[in-house]
Amino acid sequence: MNIKLSKRLQWIADWVPEGSRLADIGSDHALLPVYLAKHKRISFAVAGEVNQGPFEAARRQVQGACMEMTVNVRHGDGLSVVKQGEVDCITIAGMGGSLIATILSADPKKLEGVTRLILQPNVGEDIVRRWLREQGWALVQEHILEEDGKIYEVLLAERLADRQLLEEHNERLYETRQLPCGIALTEDWLFLMGPLLSLNPSSVFVQKWEHELGKWERVLRTMEQAETEEARERRTAFAKKQAEMERIVACLQTLKR
């Protein structure tokens, strides 16, 4: 059985360290762990899936690849499918950022012994970044890619044993950055856009934020009929932020690689 991963899953696979004990949460058809097992990249994997249909599909995938000795398919919600200390790398892909943060927060003991998180939120990337910082993880790599008309961000975070080193890393990562055109990328903008992605903006990065800017403009138009004072104040605040985003996107576009 020859498994071909999507660009998105291939990028995640490439970030899984060799010899890892992996938990792929929301594994769907277990493509990622089976691919890694067939290429002898991992020593063990849990493919977790809460929905019955994908769970059965994952079992068939593992059986068809004859990987039952390496990939263990389990039915359950989030990290409930793994035992404490059982894995050292966790991948979660294709969910909203809020759900990813909820899954990781549900049972902190399940993260003991985990040294790497590879996360691909479909939306709410800023929620994931905030969670990582608040929970003592170091965001060390970010990648953005386009596939089949959709844009995805992949985040890689590691556990740093040295607490002082971790704090210094995170402070530098989210420190307000002055762009060459005189605009400041504050901590809030860095959480939203990505501290590493915005450092070397690609054409895909610019494409994403031009699209987001269009969505913000449409939201602003729906707020034009505001009648109450409170609603008008909200519109004014949103318009100010939208204008700031417009300036930031224009500035980053001049830096894109």
Side-chain angles (χ1 to χ4, degrees), residues 79-93:
L79 296 181
S80 68
V81 298
V82 297
K83 302 180 183 71
Q84 185 177 340
E86 189 175 25
V87 299
D88 54 27
C89 179
I90 293 175
T91 54
I92 308 179

Side-chain angles (χ1 to χ4, degrees), residues 108 111-117 135-138 157-161 166:
L111 295 179
E112 291 180 8
V114 176
T115 57
R116 178 170 289 201
L117 300 174
Q135 300 303 317
W137 289 83
E158 294 183 342
R159 185 90 79 177
L160 298 184
L166 171 67

Side-chain angles (χ1 to χ4, degrees), residues 5-206:
L5 296 181
S6 65
K7 283 167 54 179
R8 175 180 63 96
L9 285 181
Q10 185 64 60
W11 203 276
I12 294 170
D14 290 345
W15 276 355
V16 174
E18 191 166 346
S20 291
R21 292 174 289 116
L22 174 72
D24 184 37
I25 305 302
S27 195
D28 197 9
H29 287 61
L31 285 174
L32 178 65
V34 168
Y35 171 88
L36 291 167
K38 285 185 69 69
H39 287 79
K40 303 187 186 304
R41 289 275 311 284
I42 54 175
S43 60
F44 168 76
V46 172
E49 181 54 60
V50 69
N51 296 312
Q52 189 66 35
F55 167 71
E56 296 293 345
R59 289 181 61 184
R60 290 193 297 271
Q61 183 81 252
V62 172
Q63 290 167 359
C66 301
M67 286 292 142
E68 297 98 324
M69 296 297 291
T70 304
V71 182
N72 194 327
V73 182
R74 298 178 188 172
H75 190 211
D77 190 10
L79 296 181
S80 68
V81 298
V82 297
K83 302 180 183 71
Q84 185 177 340
E86 189 175 25
V87 299
D88 54 27
C89 179
I90 293 175
T91 54
I92 308 179
M95 303 180 195
S98 181
L99 179 55
I100 289 174
T102 298
I103 288 171
L104 293 172
S105 300
D107 190 349
K109 289 185 178 180
K110 296 292 180 72
L111 295 179
E112 291 180 8
V114 176
T115 57
R116 178 170 289 201
L117 300 174
I118 307 168
L119 311 171
Q120 183 270 296
N122 284 346
V123 294
E125 295 88 352
D126 58 317
I127 296 172
V128 176
R129 292 185 183 101
R130 288 183 186 277
W131 184 92
L132 290 171
R133 181 169 184 181
E134 290 166 3
Q135 300 303 317
W137 289 83
L139 178 65
V140 294
Q141 289 194 66
E142 298 182 305
H143 183 68
I144 188 167
L145 67 142
E146 186 274 334
E147 186 172 37
D148 297 331
K150 296 182 180 179
I151 294 178
Y152 303 98
E153 293 182 18
V154 188
L155 314 180
L156 187 157
E158 294 183 342
R159 185 90 79 177
L160 298 184
D162 188 319
R163 187 72 189 180
Q164 183 176 348
L165 189 64
L166 171 67
E167 290 176 358
E168 290 174 354
H169 170 85
N170 283 334
E171 283 178 11
R172 287 195 305 271
L173 197 64
Y174 293 105
E175 186 177 15
T176 295
R177 184 190 312 149
Q178 293 293 329
L179 297 176
C181 46
I183 297 172
L185 272 183
T186 63
E187 181 181 79
D188 284 345
W189 285 113
L190 292 170
F191 276 123
L192 187 65
M193 294 182 147
L196 301 174
L197 292 177
S198 59
L199 196 60
N200 294 291
S202 66
S203 57
V204 177
F205 175 89
V206 171

